[in-house]
Amino acid sequence: MKRIALLLVAVATLAGVVAYMAPSSGQAGGEAAPIFVTKIPPGYRDWRLISVAREEGDLNDIRAILGNDQAIKAYREGKLPFPDGTIIARIAWSYDPSEENNKTFGRPQSFVAGPPKNGVQFMVKDSRKYASTGGWGYAHFDDGKPADEAVLKTCFPCHQAIKARDFVFTRYVP
Amino acid sequence: MKRIALLLVAVATLAGVVAYMAPSSGQAGGEAAPIFVTKIPPGYRDWRLISVAREEGDLNDIRAILGNDQAIKAYREGKLPFPDGTIIARIAWSYDPSEENNKTFGRPQSFVAGPPKNGVQFMVKDSRKYASTGGWGYAHFDDGKPADEAVLKTCFPCHQAIKARDFVFTRYVP
């Protein structure tokens, strides 16, 4: 039974990967045109934590950056560039004051994650497929729907600022 | 080979659990006295994310709350009380403005996790062992060293405020 279960897991995982690696763009032969990620990587909410952050301004959220196994391994070993197969996820939530916590602390000081906000974003490393954008495919999903290519085209220009760390802003925190 | 590897993992895990479940207090027979957790649960940095938060005031940190498999399962199923074996971890870091990010955003708005701060805390569910504190053992470690019992005695009085959610403040965020 164990062997069958393992086999089933392996097949299911493979199926997921194959579905995931399927061409994500309808472009034919446009080698220089950026290609984006249009499927949500399965199971990302179970990935391990890379770091957390808070964005003020228009974003006004609190966020967590998670990584798949390849991402966590590369971060912990301090190896750059990230290997193909690395995926980094950014989840974000409303930045909400917690009355409950504040009551306990005896003063207003506590902010917690509220409802999901500002969508979910991914960077997927495939140095050949995404060669025109530093080896990374970019994705943004709102309520499960991928953002327009016009939106995704704004990702790489900003990430270029951090080319020295393989285009990844977030640092791993222990 | 696979079987041997699996067995080794099982043995290692069991060894960890046994070491972890060893008596954590020198008290003999003091049934009503609170008992605290004095060993860091192994592997907690690999646990899945429950939520994130920001504390202003004296704490002045940004934090992540992680849970072991039992914790995540109970949260996602919305089951209370949490089952014995549940462990919830609170990690925190310095709340640092990110000049790097701000330069890219074009304005000061980005705060990231800096060096670890305010220690690491745990709540461990064992309804019999920790019966005098709502079924939860509390722990706080600074640089790997457990806090004094005087410090740990301050945990439960505050957590009592949230008895309706089995003494756990943090809500799971999707």
Side-chain angles (χ1 to χ4, degrees):
Chain A
M1 271 308 285
K2 254 187 193 164
R3 290 205 167 183
I4 293 172
L6 276 172
L7 188 66
L8 282 176
V9 168
V11 168
T13 307
L14 194 65
V17 168
V18 169
Y20 178 65
M21 300 294 280
S24 59
S25 164
Q27 294 166 335
E31 277 175 31
I35 301 170
F36 303 108
V37 180
T38 54
K39 288 192 192 300
I40 293 181
Y44 72 87
R45 185 60 183 76
D46 286 336
W47 293 350
R48 286 176 279 176
L49 182 74
I50 296 168
S51 190
V52 294
R54 150 87 172 129
E55 294 297 338
E56 296 182 349
D58 291 341
L59 289 170
N60 193 19
D61 67 37
I62 187 164
R63 43 185 56 200
I65 294 87
L66 310 179
N68 69 354
D69 289 347
Q70 288 100 311
I72 297 293
K73 186 168 186 286
Y75 266 118
R76 290 183 179 170
E77 292 176 354
K79 276 189 188 163
L80 288 179
F82 288 91
D84 282 5
T86 296
I87 311 181
I88 297 169
R90 193 279 287 146
I91 334 179
W93 303 273
S94 175
Y95 186 72
D96 292 358
S98 169
E99 282 186 37
E100 201 166 66
N101 293 7
N102 291 340
K103 210 187 290 174
T104 302
F105 280 118
R107 62 180 179 191
Q109 68 165 59
S110 195
F111 296 84
V112 298
K117 189 176 176 183
N118 296 331
V120 183
Q121 298 183 331
F122 298 93
M123 288 177 70
V124 178
K125 190 70 185 275
D126 184 327
S127 48
R128 281 197 299 179
K129 185 174 180 183
Y130 305 119
S132 70
T133 49
W136 291 98
Y138 293 87
H140 178 110
F141 299 90
D142 284 309
D143 299 320
K145 277 172 264 170
D148 293 338
E149 288 211 355
V151 172
L152 297 178
K153 277 183 181 161
T154 66
C155 300
F156 184 57
C158 279
H159 279 264
Q160 271 188 306
I162 210 78
K163 190 179 177 185
R165 291 209 306 277
D166 197 22
F167 307 101
V168 176
F169 281 96
T170 302
R171 296 167 188 268
Y172 178 88
V173 285
Chain B
M1 272 306 287
K2 252 185 196 169
R3 290 204 167 185
I4 293 173
L6 276 173
L7 188 66
L8 281 176
V9 169
V11 168
T13 308
L14 194 65
V17 169
V18 168
Y20 178 66
M21 300 294 279
S24 59
S25 164
Q27 293 166 335
E31 277 175 29
I35 301 172
F36 303 108
V37 180
T38 55
K39 288 191 193 297
I40 293 181
Y44 71 88
R45 185 60 184 78
D46 287 335
W47 292 350
R48 285 177 280 176
L49 182 74
I50 297 168
S51 190
V52 294
R54 151 87 172 131
E55 294 297 338
E56 294 183 349
D58 292 341
L59 289 170
N60 192 20
D61 66 38
I62 187 164
R63 43 184 55 201
I65 294 86
L66 309 179
N68 68 357
D69 289 347
Q70 290 99 312
I72 297 293
K73 186 169 186 285
Y75 266 119
R76 289 183 180 171
E77 292 175 355
K79 278 190 188 161
L80 289 179
F82 289 91
D84 282 4
T86 296
I87 312 181
I88 296 169
R90 193 280 286 144
I91 336 180
W93 303 272
S94 175
Y95 185 72
D96 293 359
S98 169
E99 284 186 35
E100 202 166 68
N101 293 7
N102 291 341
K103 209 187 290 175
T104 302
F105 280 119
R107 61 182 180 190
Q109 69 166 56
S110 195
F111 296 83
V112 297
K117 190 177 175 182
N118 296 330
V120 183
Q121 297 182 332
F122 299 94
M123 289 177 71
V124 179
K125 189 72 185 277
D126 183 327
S127 48
R128 281 197 298 178
K129 185 173 181 183
Y130 305 117
S132 71
T133 48
W136 292 97
Y138 293 87
H140 178 110
F141 299 91
D142 283 310
D143 299 321
K145 276 171 265 173
D148 292 339
E149 288 211 355
V151 171
L152 297 178
K153 277 181 181 162
T154 67
C155 300
F156 183 57
C158 280
H159 280 264
Q160 271 187 306
I162 210 77
K163 190 177 177 183
R165 292 209 305 276
D166 196 22
F167 307 101
V168 176
F169 281 95
T170 301
R171 296 167 189 269
Y172 178 88
V173 285

